[in-house]
């Protein structure tokens, strides 16, 4: 599958990482040169510097041949424009748009080229499953055949785990922390890593429930 992601922020980067790891052809476009430069060598994706609200930029990024376009910027106005251009001018078969402000949710429909509108608070796993329309695309995240799940949890300022090293967090049996995503970048989690607000953890487990993971960190 060819996927085009507009927006190289935390969400766009995470989606790109997962889709690329699952073997998809992924392109990420963003107008912020610092963001694009920061991702060089970090992700196995094509990076395009430019404003995805411009038709020429979308065309350069490959929207005409993409199977999936995801508008994941932090601005609802931009996501609507990107969606409309992707659907109307580039004939993208599937367009997903992030809704940052719930008050704008009513705008995100097929009139603006949006096939699937995703609230900003939607968990990463659910968002990718919605975007791709098939859970097998995200086998990296949900390995049901092997009896293994990857469970996501986000550390907030109110989480009991804030400031604690991973070694102090009691995890359910058969559960390990696979990665800590901090400021959009995945890191290998050592036992001395101290958790900070905004950290997103992906945990691999063959037995723990989401509630058990939530209780351990929140």
């Amino acid at each position: 599958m060819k996927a085009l992601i507009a927006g190289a922020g935390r969400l766009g980067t995470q989606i790109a990482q997962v889709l690329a790891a699952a073997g998809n052809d992924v392109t990420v476009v963003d107008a912020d040169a610092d963001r694009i430069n920061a991702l060089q060598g970090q992700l196995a994706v094509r990076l395009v510097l430019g404003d995805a609200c411009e038709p020429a930029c979308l065309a350069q990024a490959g929207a005409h041949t993409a199977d999936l376009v995801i508008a994941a910027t932090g601005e609802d106005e931009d996501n609507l424009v990107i969606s409309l251009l992707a659907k109307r001018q580039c004939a993208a078969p599937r367009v997903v748009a992030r809704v940052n402000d719930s008050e704008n949710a009513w705008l995100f429909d097929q009139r603006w080229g949006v096939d699937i509108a995703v609230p900003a608070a939607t968990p990463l796993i659910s968002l990718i499953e919605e975007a791709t329309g098939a859970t097998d695309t995200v086998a990296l995240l949900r390995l049901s055949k092997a009896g293994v799940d990857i469970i996501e949890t986000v550390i907030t300022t109110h989480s009991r785990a804030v400031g604690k090293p991973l070694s102090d967090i009691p995890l359910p049996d058969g559960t390990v922390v696979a990665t800590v995503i901090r400021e959009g970048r995945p890191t290998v989690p050592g036992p001395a890593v101290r958790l900070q607000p905004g950290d997103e953890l992906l945990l691999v487990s063959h037995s723990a429930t989401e509630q058990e993971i939530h209780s351990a960190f929140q």
Side-chain angles (χ1 to χ4, degrees):
M1 179 182 69
K2 293 187 65 176
L4 170 59
I5 301 169
R10 184 178 68 89
L11 181 63
T13 299
Q14 291 173 359
I15 297 171
Q17 179 189 15
V18 173
L19 291 181
N24 297 290
D25 181 354
V26 181
T27 297
V28 176
V29 58
D30 197 288
D32 189 325
D34 290 338
R35 285 182 174 178
I36 293 295
N37 291 334
L39 293 178
Q40 294 286 350
Q42 299 293 320
L43 297 176
V45 303
R46 176 179 173 231
L47 299 171
V48 176
L49 176 62
D51 185 354
C53 291
E54 296 291 337
C57 178
L58 270 185
Q60 178 192 357
H64 289 285
T65 57
D67 302 299
L68 168 68
V69 174
I70 300 178
T73 79
E75 300 293 333
D76 285 343
E77 295 87 347
D78 290 349
N79 289 341
L80 286 171
V81 171
I82 293 166
S83 298
L84 187 63
L85 290 174
K87 182 64 71 174
R88 300 288 185 263
Q89 292 200 12
C90 302
R94 195 172 185 86
V95 177
V96 178
R98 178 188 187 183
V99 183
N100 296 281
D101 186 342
S102 59
E103 293 186 359
N104 296 328
W106 65 277
L107 290 167
F108 286 74
D109 58 23
Q110 293 187 352
R111 292 173 300 176
W112 281 91
V114 179
D115 295 309
I116 300 174
V118 182
T122 300
L124 178 63
I125 294 173
S126 298
L127 186 153
I128 295 173
E129 288 179 352
E130 285 278 3
T132 60
T135 56
D136 56 356
T137 304
V138 288
L140 180 70
L141 291 185
R142 186 151 300 168
L143 309 174
S144 58
K145 290 184 180 179
V148 177
D149 284 335
I150 288 188
I151 300 173
E152 176 187 29
T153 190
V154 178
I155 304 301
T156 70
T157 54
H158 303 294
S159 300
R160 69 176 69 183
V162 168
K164 293 183 178 180
L166 283 174
S167 58
D168 286 0
I169 308 298
L171 296 177
D173 291 340
T175 302
V176 296
V177 179
T179 187
V180 175
I181 301 172
R182 181 172 293 170
E183 296 180 351
R185 295 186 179 184
T187 61
V188 178
V193 170
R194 290 186 178 274
L195 298 174
Q196 301 177 7
D199 285 351
E200 184 169 357
L201 283 69
L202 298 181
L203 299 97
V204 180
S205 180
H206 64 74
S207 59
T209 65
E210 292 187 14
Q211 182 57 47
E212 288 174 320
I213 297 299
H214 181 85
S215 297
F217 289 93
Q218 308 300 334

